[in-house]
Amino acid sequence: MEPLKNDSFLRALLRQPVDRTPVWMMRQAGRYLPEYRRVREQAGSFMNLCTNPELACEVTIQPIDRYRLDAAILFSDILTVPDAMGLGLRFLEGEGPRFDKVIASAEDIRQLPIPDPEVELRYVPDAVRLIKQNLHQRVPLIGFSGSPWTLATYMIEGGSSREFQKAKGLMYDRPELAHQLLGKLADSVAAYLNAQLAAGVDAVMVFDTWGGALTAEQYRLFSLDYAQRVLDQLKLRPDGRRIPAILFTKGGGLWLEAMADSGYDALGLDWTIDIGAARSRVGHRVALQGNLDPVVLYASQETIRTEVGKVLASFGHGSGHVFNLGHGVHPAIDPEHVGAMIEAVHEYSPAYHAGA
Ligand code: CP3
């Protein structure tokens, strides 16, 4: 395959020099885009969209055609892995994800299979191969998975949760069972990401959306250790070059030093932490990705531009920054406001890379 036409995203993740700060957006392929809503309607359901490689490919590339973005992210969902483990995933209109089966006992955990990603999750590597063909090396493609802990919360709660009573209950009352479940999830996630890597993704990202719900001790024992067990199994040097891996822990700002020790190349930041402060704590060890407050995109385009400028200025000069939101873009956001954010990164960021 010919080389990537734009590899600034990969370079920034490895803290190599770039001409400007690369930018992409979590949930960039999603409901705020009218062209996404059309394909989603055609698919009939969100899961039909995820399991149809042609349609998944189409919506992955939509934001790349519309905006000057520096990376594409595979269109899928983190909950495809527990679905492939036999839990039966459904997305009910307006209610979010629901599993038919929940994990409630030692026997449930013992019986959980580690899915073969080229069999039960075949539609994902198939989508990756199709997207790579159709992207024509314009920008890198990001593969992803949920973290073992974040997947465990959905599997134990049966869906989204506010307080995580059941998931944390298992951790407090039967820690050995929680560890068994997380170990199986780490091995399933690693196999799943390795299948995406073999199919051609250029970077991988682990979404630990609910790591921030834990205490400091639990975060290390039940979230970070298993994110590391995933990383340790990944084939990130297929031909000598390093494929970057990103760890995003929402609410992880307190634990950046531990995260930076985990071996991931880059840390995703939510909006609650000042990115300049994060850089002084860990920026000599890892790249940082983030962290504009997604709610800023409801404000005027002028305010959006100002806030983009503040994030760039806070990170400051030099490579090691990938611009992103601190969490996914909301479905009600005006696509023109997204464009204003991206264009502001293009306009303001070269000043921070001059002389590189
Ligand atoms: O970022 C991207 O553009 C790639 C696609 C992507 C989706 N979900 C598509 C999606 C990615 C990377 C995810 C990850 C994901 N999914 C996470 C981790 C990241 C995060 O947001 O914290 C989580 C926790 C999930 C689980 C999930 N998926 C929930 C709770 C929901 C329902 C939310 C809702 O608003 O309905 C989803 C559905 C989902 N995943 C949608 C999209 C575009 C919306 C569904 C639709 O189109 O009907």
Side-chain angles (χ1 to χ4, degrees), residues 26-31 36 40 46 73-79 91 96-97 144 154 160 207 209 327:
M26 288 189 270
R27 291 272 172 101
Q28 65 190 20
R31 283 170 293 188
Y36 170 85
R40 164 79 170 71
F46 175 66
I73 181 162
L74 162 70
F75 188 84
S76 190
D77 198 82
I78 63 167
L79 301 180
F91 281 89
F144 70 88
Y154 286 97
S160 302
F207 286 88
T209 307
H327 200 204

Side-chain angles (χ1 to χ4, degrees), residues 240-254:
R241 85 205 142 96
R242 169 78 180 184
I243 298 186
I246 310 163
L247 177 61
F248 170 69
T249 296
K250 187 159 161 278
L254 290 169

Side-chain angles (χ1 to χ4, degrees), residues 202-263:
D202 301 290
V204 292
M205 175 156 165
V206 172
F207 286 88
D208 188 21
T209 307
W210 303 120
L214 296 169
T215 68
E217 182 194 30
Q218 289 170 337
Y219 174 69
R220 192 170 51 73
L221 294 177
F222 294 93
S223 174
L224 188 59
D225 274 7
Y226 290 94
Q228 206 162 346
R229 176 158 159 183
V230 171
L231 184 76
D232 290 342
Q233 298 179 60
L234 295 186
K235 301 190 173 97
L236 295 173
R237 289 190 184 278
D239 50 15
R241 85 205 142 96
R242 169 78 180 184
I243 298 186
I246 310 163
L247 177 61
F248 170 69
T249 296
K250 187 159 161 278
L254 290 169
W255 308 314
L256 293 180
E257 287 81 0
M259 290 165 71
D261 279 339
S262 64

Side-chain angles (χ1 to χ4, degrees), residues 163-300:
E163 309 288 353
F164 305 103
Q165 285 109 303
K166 292 183 191 140
K168 286 187 170 187
L170 185 75
M171 205 170 50
Y172 281 118
D173 286 333
R174 306 286 307 274
E176 74 290 355
L177 287 186
H179 284 298
Q180 275 171 29
L181 174 60
L182 291 164
K184 275 197 169 175
L185 280 167
D187 296 346
S188 301
V189 164
Y192 179 56
L193 287 175
N194 277 329
Q196 295 181 35
L197 286 161
V201 299
D202 301 290
V204 292
M205 175 156 165
V206 172
F207 286 88
D208 188 21
T209 307
W210 303 120
L214 296 169
T215 68
E217 182 194 30
Q218 289 170 337
Y219 174 69
R220 192 170 51 73
L221 294 177
F222 294 93
S223 174
L224 188 59
D225 274 7
Y226 290 94
Q228 206 162 346
R229 176 158 159 183
V230 171
L231 184 76
D232 290 342
Q233 298 179 60
L234 295 186
K235 301 190 173 97
L236 295 173
R237 289 190 184 278
D239 50 15
R241 85 205 142 96
R242 169 78 180 184
I243 298 186
I246 310 163
L247 177 61
F248 170 69
T249 296
K250 187 159 161 278
L254 290 169
W255 308 314
L256 293 180
E257 287 81 0
M259 290 165 71
D261 279 339
S262 64
Y264 280 85
D265 301 280
L267 305 182
L269 304 177
D270 70 24
W271 64 91
T272 59
I273 184 166
D274 180 89
I275 194 168
R279 187 185 190 185
S280 19
R281 283 165 57 193
V282 297
H284 54 293
R285 282 186 279 163
V286 286
L288 297 173
Q289 176 173 276
N291 71 341
L292 187 71
D293 180 359
V295 174
V296 168
L297 295 179
Y298 290 106
S300 71

